[in-house]
Amino acid sequence: HNDPKERQVRALLSQWQIDDMREKTEMTHKLRLQEKIPLNPPPFGYHMSKKYKMFMPDGEKAEKVKEIFEMRLASATIKEIADEYSMNTTTVYNILKNRTYLGENLYRGNWSKGKHQPLITEEVFLKCQKQNSRAGTWCNNSNNNKSKEIVN
């Protein structure tokens, strides 16, 4: 096993296998993207249907997602929403920023139209984003003092 030529051949074979696997993975991803099949796990509010190869609304969890967006539109802070649903503020923040709820899929930092049912409209999503930016970097807008919390 110490033969330099044997090590070199083994290294070349290993690199060939890695390149081959990478190419096959890339081809699979391209096919799945063409068919609008998500490559990432479903977010809160959806489950993956193996039969239909798409995200499906997940009953009560999907309703919670809709309610979270509605509460935000009604000027509830992220902390208030988190307390209402026994979630942490990061989870609520991530839900409010996630375009999957618009019926889109994420792949390598790019969003594209998916084939799953949206849980919210683009109008609701955009209004929440405006609400978030008005609150200033997601800070607590429920108090009038100068100190700001990142947990809104």
Side-chain angles (χ1 to χ4, degrees):
H1 292 293
N2 288 331
D3 180 17
K5 287 188 181 194
E6 184 180 341
R7 281 195 311 258
Q8 191 175 20
V9 168
R10 286 180 187 269
L12 287 170
L13 283 173
S14 293
Q15 188 59 50
W16 177 78
Q17 287 177 322
I18 290 168
D19 291 345
D20 187 52
M21 288 186 331
R22 187 175 289 132
E23 187 177 312
K24 286 178 182 172
T25 300
E26 192 64 32
M27 285 176 19
T28 301
H29 284 184
K30 284 182 181 178
L31 284 172
R32 289 185 76 176
L33 287 171
Q34 286 173 353
E35 296 176 22
K36 299 182 180 179
I37 298 171
L39 295 166
N40 53 321
F44 181 82
Y46 286 107
H47 69 273
M48 183 63 164
S49 166
K50 290 183 178 165
K51 180 179 179 181
Y52 298 109
K53 296 181 180 174
M54 62 189 250
F55 295 155
M56 301 290 283
D58 193 1
E60 289 181 22
K61 291 179 182 176
E63 290 306 311
K64 280 185 183 180
V65 169
K66 293 175 187 177
E67 291 168 10
I68 286 168
F69 277 92
E70 289 168 11
M71 285 182 71
R72 188 62 177 159
L73 283 180
S75 298
T77 66
I78 289 178
K79 177 142 180 37
E80 289 167 345
I81 297 168
D83 290 346
E84 175 73 22
Y85 291 104
S86 300
M87 296 178 165
N88 68 47
T89 54
T90 302
T91 300
V92 173
Y93 171 83
N94 289 335
I95 288 170
L96 291 168
K97 297 297 279 187
N98 193 336
R99 297 185 65 86
T100 303
Y101 300 117
L102 290 172
E104 297 180 8
N105 290 327
L106 179 64
Y107 179 64
R108 292 190 175 168
N110 296 310
W111 290 96
S112 61
K113 181 74 179 132
K115 63 181 182 178
H116 61 280
Q117 175 186 337
L119 296 183
I120 57 164
T121 65
E122 186 156 7
E123 179 184 6
V124 166
F125 184 82
L126 292 174
K127 283 182 179 178
C128 279
Q129 303 318 300
K130 285 181 184 172
Q131 175 75 17
N132 296 334
S133 63
R134 263 200 311 274
T137 63
W138 296 76
C139 297
N140 190 335
N141 62 356
S142 64
N143 56 24
N144 294 326
N145 64 21
K146 298 271 183 188
S147 70
K148 294 192 173 195
E149 302 172 58
I150 295 246
V151 293
N152 181 17

